[in-house]
Amino acid sequence: MTTFPLIRHEDANAVFAYRDGHAVSVGQFLGDVSQVAALLPDRRHILNLCADRYHFTVGFSAALLRQHVSLLPPNHTPDLIGQLIGQYPDLYCLTDTAIEHVELETVLYPQSAEINSDTPPIPAIPAEQVAALVFTSGSTGQPVPHRKYWGSLVKSALAEADRLSMAAYPGMVIVGTVPPQHMYGLESTVLMAMQGGLTLFAGRPFYPADVCAALASLPRPRGLVTTPVHLRALLAGMDEMPRVDFLLCATSLLPPQLAAEAEARFAAPLHEIYGCTEAGQVATRRAINEPEWRVFRDLVLREDQHGAWVKGGHVETEILLSDVIEIRDQQTFLLHGRSADLVNIAGKRTSLANLNYHLNSIEGVKDGVFVVPEEGNAVVARLVAFVVAPDLTNEALMKALRQRIDAAFLPRPLYFVESLPRNTTGKLPRAALDKLVSLAEKTE
């Protein structure tokens, strides 16, 4: 039976995490995992709602020890959790904060750790053990679960650490603005730290000042894992940035001027990562000078009449990617947007991702999105757009769009809003967009 270690930190006295200004050693982490594992009930499925990233990681690891499967849905609304309870009757919850779902058996994360002079050994977890059920975001419909085995998660984390040259930054502290319950957050802020010998930052700072304060409080090397939405707000909200050694961005395409500004102000390279819930992380690129994406080592691309497929390495079963991809060779490709985002107007085709890219590239636009209104089975006849641009007029914005996109795809109408209903990872679920369109139409 093939096994992989829970973590790859060799020194029990090394720092595993920073939490509330204090260093947590590898030995303490292993002790906390053992303690929490003993508290978990005899059930099969766990909903880990710990807001603290260190607590989440301890809970995730404890569940592995008990052979429990972590459910990682795209949100924690009462409606979705109610659906999960119906689908997984043995579901229980681990949390470090109060929750309202009283019908769900709940285990509170212990407030104080037991002091044990003996450091538990690093557990070995079977590669074929199901570690998690990760759900799609719901951007195009209902969230769908995908099974993740411990072996594939480990291979993915090792491949990411290799691609991003993490060995050059031993013990790097990773600060994340994305939640660990999301696939991107799980892979790049939790698993890469566990398998790359890196260091967790327990918090999830949201506001620009909090992100900068968190980074400035930590020793170097230190890196930031974030999204384009968070990065844009960070650059707009702060005059000075703390030096970092590494920047990672995902969940939507990054405008090149935003990437260039981020690299200049943080004095660090910025990498984009591409992936999906079904396959996990697949490829990276250096946003400012690499239009092509390069897949991880051991991954191979192919295409047929259905689209682009990926297999190899941590992708054990061939996966059809849901994006429009132009394969250059088996290792590189260009990304043109989601297959479901393709629009055809007056015989002309483009993708919503491409339109959003150009909209958000306009100076003065803080956030924006194109939407195809729900019109039954009718052929798409119009697009609408919502934009956060308090210093721009409708005329100025439309003029800028005409210089960037074909007139057939100009939004009709264009709505100015104070903010967009993005979730914690910066995505816009389809249900939230439909509600936004409905409210806008009612106020016309």
Side-chain angles (χ1 to χ4, degrees):
M1 179 177 63
T2 302
T3 63
F4 290 107
L6 179 68
I7 59 175
R8 294 179 186 267
H9 301 70
E10 297 179 355
D11 184 357
N13 295 316
V15 178
F16 180 82
Y18 284 98
R19 183 175 182 275
D20 293 336
H22 300 287
V24 179
S25 70
V26 170
Q28 182 179 339
F29 166 73
L30 293 173
D32 289 348
V33 170
S34 178
Q35 178 187 359
V36 172
L39 298 176
L40 301 183
D42 292 327
R43 298 215 175 182
R44 174 63 174 164
H45 296 97
I46 175 175
L47 182 65
N48 188 337
L49 297 184
C50 290
D52 182 295
R53 199 177 308 270
Y54 175 75
H55 289 172
F56 171 88
T57 305
V58 170
F60 180 78
S61 302
L64 285 172
L65 264 62
R66 294 290 301 273
Q67 298 185 354
H68 296 180
V69 180
S70 294
L71 267 58
L72 303 177
N75 62 66
H76 303 141
T77 61
D79 179 67
L80 182 53
I81 291 182
Q83 294 179 40
L84 294 178
I85 293 172
Q87 295 169 6
Y88 306 94
D90 62 349
L91 182 66
Y92 70 96
C93 173
L94 174 69
T95 182
D96 52 7
T97 57
I99 62 170
E100 300 177 355
H101 311 290
V102 293
E103 70 276 17
L104 188 61
E105 180 180 353
T106 301
V107 176
L108 288 175
Y109 191 95
Q111 295 298 310
S112 58
E114 296 179 354
I115 299 176
N116 192 332
S117 57
D118 297 326
T119 300
I122 296 176
I125 311 297
E128 66 272 16
Q129 179 175 324
V130 179
L133 289 177
V134 183
F135 291 73
T136 56
S137 65
S139 299
T140 57
Q142 288 296 315
V144 177
H146 291 271
R147 186 179 291 111
K148 301 295 177 180
Y149 296 94
W150 176 242
S152 63
L153 290 178
V154 170
K155 291 176 183 177
S156 174
L158 293 175
E160 181 180 16
D162 175 67
R163 167 57 57 82
L164 299 175
S165 302
M166 289 295 101
Y169 307 100
M172 173 185 281
V173 189
I174 299 177
V175 175
T177 65
V178 291
Q181 288 87 355
H182 181 264
M183 191 64 183
Y184 171 41
L186 177 67
E187 289 175 319
S188 296
T189 71
V190 175
L191 292 170
M192 188 167 67
M194 295 171 67
Q195 295 298 313
L198 306 180
T199 308
L200 284 168
F201 178 69
R204 183 164 70 90
F206 178 79
Y207 296 106
D210 294 334
V211 175
C212 289
L215 288 168
S217 71
L218 298 168
R220 296 183 67 181
R222 58 197 181 203
L224 177 64
V225 175
T226 188
T227 70
V229 172
H230 295 149
L231 187 61
R232 186 188 294 273
L234 183 59
L235 295 176
M238 300 298 295
D239 294 328
E240 296 185 10
M241 301 296 175
R243 293 286 297 272
V244 300
D245 301 277
F246 168 80
L247 291 165
L248 187 65
C249 215
T251 72
S252 63
L253 289 177
L254 192 64
Q257 62 269 40
L258 182 61
E261 182 185 359
E263 289 206 358
R265 295 183 62 186
F266 278 106
L270 188 154
H271 299 270
E272 281 186 279
I273 196 162
Y274 166 78
C276 59
T277 303
E278 296 86 345
Q281 50 200 354
V282 170
T284 62
R285 70 173 180 175
R286 180 79 176 277
I288 64 170
N289 59 10
E290 294 179 356
E292 293 183 337
W293 296 81
R294 184 162 54 96
V295 298
F296 286 1
R297 186 174 60 185
D298 297 330
L299 296 186
V300 176
L301 297 170
R302 76 169 181 90
E303 60 183 335
D304 59 18
Q305 69 274 20
H306 301 292
W309 300 77
V310 64
K311 184 180 180 181
H314 62 277
V315 185
E316 297 173 348
T317 302
E318 192 172 44
I319 297 294
L320 176 64
L321 299 173
S322 58
D323 293 280
V324 179
I325 284 174
E326 179 185 338
I327 297 179
R328 293 297 182 88
D329 55 48
Q330 288 188 330
Q331 298 296 316
T332 62
F333 63 89
L334 293 175
L335 178 62
H336 297 300
R338 294 181 64 85
S339 301
D341 286 349
L342 287 179
V343 291
N344 189 326
I345 299 178
K348 298 177 180 179
R349 299 180 64 194
T350 189
S351 71
L352 293 178
N354 180 58
L355 296 174
N356 292 337
Y357 171 83
H358 286 295
L359 176 60
N360 285 282
S361 296
I362 296 173
E363 185 174 354
V365 172
K366 295 184 176 180
D367 199 4
V369 63
F370 275 79
V371 182
V372 180
E374 291 287 350
E375 298 180 354
N377 294 322
V379 176
V380 174
R382 67 186 180 101
L383 296 171
V384 301
F386 296 88
V387 64
V388 181
D391 298 326
L392 293 179
T393 64
N394 185 292
E395 293 75 14
L397 190 49
M398 290 297 287
K399 180 180 179 181
L401 278 174
R402 287 189 185 96
Q403 296 174 349
R404 290 168 168 80
I405 65 176
D406 190 283
F409 303 112
L410 289 173
R412 298 177 175 86
L414 171 66
Y415 297 103
F416 282 76
V417 295
E418 293 184 359
S419 64
L420 295 179
R422 295 187 180 275
N423 61 20
T424 54
T425 59
K427 293 189 175 183
L428 290 164
R430 182 70 215 191
L433 289 176
D434 290 343
K435 184 177 181 180
L436 193 62
V437 171
S438 178
L439 290 174
E441 291 177 341
K442 289 179 181 178
T443 58
E444 285 187 329

